[in-house]
Amino acid sequence: MPPRTPLLDRVTYPSDLRNLSHEQLKQLADELRAETVDTVSVTGGHLGSSLGVVELTVAIHAVFDTPRDRLIWDVGHQAYPHKILTGRRDRIRTLRQPGGLSGFTRRSESEYDPFGAAHSSTSISAGLGMAVARDLKQEEDPRQVIAVIGDGSMSAGMAYEAMNNAGAMKSRLIVILNDNDMSIAPPVGAMSAYLSRLISSRSFMSLRDFAAKMAKRFPRQLERTARRAEEYARGILTGGTLFEELGFYYVGPIDGHNLDHLLPVLRNIRDLDSNEPVLLHIVTQKGKGYAPAEAAGDKLHATAKFNVVTGEQSKAPPGPPTYTNVFAKALIAEAEADPRIVTVTAAMPGGTGLDKFVKKFPNRMFDVGIAEQHAVTFAAGMATEGMAPFCAIYSTFLQRGYDQVVHDVVLQSLPVRFAMDRAGLVGADGATHAGAYDLCYLGAMPNMVIMAPSDEVELMHAVATAAAIDDRPSAFRYPRGEGLGLALPERGTPWEIGKGRILREGSRVALLALGPRLANCLSAADELAARGFPTTVADARFMKPLDTALINQLARHHEVLVTIEDGAAGGFGAAVAHHLAWSGAFDSGLKFRPMTLPDRLVDHNTPAGQLIDAGLTTHDIVQHVMMALGSDSLQDLAAIPAQ
């Protein structure tokens, strides 16, 4: 058999797929899978989820008129094959690299990305908004709106809120449920595919419409009974009763890797005349078609660069433990001493280190799924009964439970402890995952203790401090990545609440850091001292309550006071400025400079590159101090390396 002529090189945009034969689309899917594997082996990223939707991606773009038809990928981390087919193949190996393509969908990147995403469970809400906007504009040839959502994202209440609204509005919307983990489907095979083709066909819909018209001639009670009977019959046959109850016309489940099943069903759904929202249930396998991913426990969900042949991931030389692992160590030590300590995570046991905690305490860790709102209030409920809950959630995801933090925790002064991983900038995941805002959104809450340890030893002490706080809520934030390599104690020691520390004494300049930028402050102090500016370096430890005695001391005895934090403006520096203004410190001529993340999004980059972009390096600290002093030595700054 002669070798097949490559097809992917002939495809630049989805329109190039629409003249391909059925067999050619299958070949294209094979080539697209190989291209995706090769790409992620070079860039790292989310491999398993992207491999799971290769056939679905080909089928959607072959059947629908994208970008006119709107295609929304929930979360967006499975959109690598989509990017390859939508004019971005020539840049695909810049994925997640400085200046390159985003690892998620992004409106500014392509017209084929109608909605940006990186947090889960938003696609149905956004799709419904697009569908309603289409209806309001009364388009002559109405466009289709397709939202693809994974079963994991369906654990979030927002998805059901959107489906409930869509079912009530009767606006034309297609939701594709990609079931790749929860196994909520009955067996998928030829019979299921046949039923799916049947109930999505014009003939079935015509028969259904005829039956509905006939039923209207019955008394009202019999009409309702007939309609319910038809819905339940389809629900029993296909497993879709839940979605029917929410107002969706359910089709499926079908094999999401079988184009013989996908293509005809998608065409049927595309051609339906009904305004009823439709849910197509497909079953796929994460990592499909790449043996190392299929064999991996996490299906290589998120991977570093790897060897394509073996699947072996590139490993950095052994270094210090990550902050996440240090948090797990510290929390286990506290839990061994206090049986009241329980932990809650929102579908991130591995990402937050609680996978280690659950091995030690299998009955004291609760994974509630992608449901941050529920996680917060669930923890609050446990706190009312005397437990000591730690709610471990990435800073960027805790935003999703903001109202619950306010209403269910703070207003009731419940001792829920929030462990905020990935605070600050996060490298290749970019702005969507950056923990930039936690100091701002938590800092406004009365009676909450907020901590930011400066290194891994301080993180152990912060965990111990939170464990000891039993009369109010508390939170502590810590960065992504490795610590400094410091020797760790067996267990942390609680701090005195609201007290910072001075690490170095100087007479002219004071640097007050909150969090891991303390290391840059110490380096900056060395540079400043070498230029004749003796510098004090202090570690605030707490944003709330502020160590006002320490701040007053620094303000009284130094000409310049600079605060440094890896959070947005409006956080720690703003709180310090508020205190200084009311204490009258500015009346005596104090020069105050708050250094924060810039008032713009910091794009994905290396961690070091992001710090340079954000202006929070040692060089930047020295520059701001010398500008505040009005020094004539600014020309010497070019010799200071950014770090």
Side-chain angles (χ1 to χ4, degrees):
M1 185 176 180
R4 297 185 299 183
T5 302
L7 290 173
L8 189 57
D9 292 341
R10 293 163 46 188
V11 173
T12 304
Y13 292 102
S15 57
D16 300 324
L17 275 68
R18 293 164 197 155
N19 293 321
L20 298 181
S21 69
H22 199 88
E23 291 304 314
Q24 286 177 315
L25 290 175
K26 291 181 181 180
Q27 177 185 334
L28 180 69
D30 292 339
E31 295 178 20
L32 182 58
R33 177 168 279 107
E35 179 77 353
T36 301
V37 170
D38 189 68
T39 294
V40 183
S41 74
V42 173
T43 65
H46 292 94
L47 178 64
S49 52
S50 290
L51 294 181
V53 297
V54 167
E55 286 81 10
L56 178 64
T57 304
V58 169
I60 290 174
H61 282 302
V63 170
F64 292 94
D65 184 20
T66 55
R68 185 179 183 278
D69 289 337
R70 308 303 193 205
L71 172 59
I72 308 159
W73 297 96
D74 203 272
V75 185
H77 62 349
Q78 75 282 57
Y80 301 174
H82 162 79
K83 293 196 178 203
I84 292 170
L85 294 181
T86 54
R88 287 170 276 186
R89 186 186 179 198
D90 60 339
R91 293 179 289 151
I92 197 63
R93 285 165 182 76
T94 70
L95 194 71
R96 295 164 53 88
Q97 309 303 303
L101 296 177
S102 169
F104 306 93
T105 53
R106 176 182 283 184
R107 280 174 53 82
S108 61
E109 194 175 281
S110 171
E111 63 178 334
Y112 289 89
D113 293 357
F115 198 77
H119 291 187
S120 80
S121 315
T122 62
S123 60
I124 304 176
S125 297
L128 180 59
M130 294 178 188
V132 170
R134 170 204 62 204
D135 297 343
L136 289 172
K137 291 190 291 186
Q138 297 182 328
E139 296 177 354
E140 185 173 333
D141 181 17
R143 70 185 77 234
Q144 303 274 6
V145 179
I146 308 103
V148 181
I149 183 168
D151 55 351
S153 295
M154 291 294 285
S155 66
M158 183 177 179
Y160 292 97
E161 293 172 13
M163 292 186 71
N164 182 59
N165 190 202
M169 296 187 73
K170 300 298 182 185
S171 187
R172 175 78 169 141
L173 171 68
I174 299 169
V175 173
I176 299 177
L177 171 58
N178 179 24
D179 177 1
N180 60 18
D181 196 31
M182 292 172 61
S183 299
I184 62 176
V188 176
M191 179 57 72
S192 180
Y194 169 74
L195 289 171
S196 297
R197 286 198 301 273
L198 174 65
I199 65 177
S200 64
S201 67
R202 282 181 177 269
S203 58
F204 181 89
M205 292 299 286
S206 298
L207 180 62
R208 184 184 186 230
D209 184 57
F210 173 76
K213 290 177 180 177
M214 288 295 294
K216 288 185 180 298
R217 298 177 179 271
F218 301 159
R220 184 175 299 274
Q221 184 61 38
L222 287 178
E223 177 195 347
R224 286 198 298 267
T225 301
R227 177 166 48 84
R228 288 290 188 186
E230 187 268 343
E231 290 175 355
Y232 275 107
R234 288 190 296 113
I236 290 169
L237 286 171
T238 63
T241 302
L242 168 64
F243 305 111
E244 292 284 348
E245 288 294 297
L246 287 169
F248 275 70
Y249 185 78
Y250 176 87
V251 178
I254 63 173
D255 183 350
H257 298 299
N258 190 330
L259 286 172
D260 292 332
H261 297 174
L262 272 176
L263 290 167
V265 170
L266 284 174
R267 291 189 185 108
N268 283 345
I269 290 173
R270 178 196 64 191
D271 296 336
L272 289 176
D273 294 328
S274 171
N275 286 330
E276 195 172 8
V278 177
L279 185 135
L280 170 62
H281 183 175
I282 69 169
V283 177
T284 63
Q285 178 185 359
K286 286 182 179 178
K288 174 71 174 178
Y290 181 54
E294 292 181 352
D298 64 352
K299 307 302 180 186
L300 297 185
H301 171 72
T303 177
K305 300 175 184 179
F306 61 90
N307 182 295
V308 173
V309 176
T310 66
E312 183 178 359
Q313 297 186 45
S314 302
K315 294 182 179 178
T322 65
Y323 281 95
T324 299
N325 286 336
V326 172
F327 162 69
K329 170 183 169 64
L331 190 57
I332 288 170
E334 296 304 319
E336 287 174 335
D338 185 352
R340 301 176 309 125
I341 289 179
V342 291
T343 60
V344 182
T345 182
M348 296 295 290
T352 60
L354 293 189
D355 56 339
K356 298 175 177 60
F357 184 93
V358 75
K359 291 177 182 177
K360 187 80 173 178
F361 306 105
N363 298 321
R364 292 161 64 180
M365 194 280 276
F366 303 92
D367 184 352
V368 302
I370 303 176
E372 289 82 5
Q373 294 168 304
H374 166 59
V376 172
T377 305
F378 173 60
M382 286 195 287
T384 66
E385 295 297 324
M387 304 305 289
F390 277 75
C391 208
I393 300 178
Y394 289 6
S395 169
T396 186
F397 297 147
L398 186 58
Q399 296 162 188
R400 297 164 65 103
Y402 184 71
D403 179 65
Q404 286 67 33
V405 175
V406 175
H407 186 271
D408 299 336
V409 176
V410 172
L411 286 178
Q412 303 185 87
S413 197
L414 292 172
V416 176
R417 294 95 174 150
F418 295 100
M420 298 183 294
D421 203 331
R422 270 65 166 181
L425 300 171
V426 293
D429 281 338
T432 60
H433 281 57
Y437 311 112
D438 50 56
L439 294 174
C440 300
Y441 68 70
L442 293 181
M445 299 187 190
N447 203 36
M448 174 173 273
V449 176
I450 304 173
M451 298 170 275
S454 56
D455 57 47
E456 62 266 48
V457 174
E458 291 284 286
L459 174 56
M460 292 198 69
H461 298 328
V463 174
T465 306
I469 297 173
D470 254 340
D471 60 346
R472 52 187 149 164
S474 59
F476 52 97
R477 70 192 308 262
Y478 47 99
R480 182 179 191 173
E482 296 178 344
L484 304 180
L486 305 177
L488 297 173
E490 288 301 311
R491 185 181 174 191
T493 302
W495 292 325
E496 181 181 354
I497 301 297
K499 293 298 178 184
R501 58 177 179 152
I502 291 178
L503 283 78
R504 187 174 301 181
E505 296 273 7
S507 58
R508 193 166 181 192
V509 175
L511 303 177
L512 177 59
L514 181 74
R517 298 282 68 75
L518 179 67
N520 297 96
C521 290
L522 291 169
S523 298
D526 291 337
E527 297 285 352
L528 290 165
R531 286 164 173 73
F533 305 110
T535 300
T536 294
V537 178
D539 177 7
R541 282 182 169 165
F542 293 85
M543 174 180 167
K544 203 165 190 176
L546 281 176
D547 188 344
T548 55
L550 173 61
I551 294 169
N552 290 341
Q553 177 186 344
L554 298 176
R556 278 195 303 267
H557 299 295
H558 299 86
E559 183 179 340
V560 174
L561 172 59
V562 178
T563 59
I564 302 96
E565 63 196 289
D566 54 354
F572 176 64
V576 172
H578 183 86
H579 168 72
L580 291 172
W582 280 100
S583 68
F586 295 132
D587 300 342
S588 59
L590 174 71
K591 297 174 181 177
F592 175 70
R593 301 290 187 271
M595 294 182 65
T596 67
L597 293 178
D599 189 23
R600 56 178 170 78
L601 300 175
V602 178
D603 210 355
H604 59 277
N605 204 327
T606 63
Q610 284 190 319
L611 281 180
I612 293 171
D613 187 14
L616 290 177
T617 65
T618 296
H619 175 94
D620 296 306
I621 295 169
V622 173
Q623 182 177 42
H624 284 298
V625 168
M626 295 178 74
M627 291 176 66
L629 290 168
S631 170
D632 294 330
S633 303
L634 288 176
Q635 63 270 19
D636 296 337
L637 286 170
I640 304 173
Q643 51 182 290

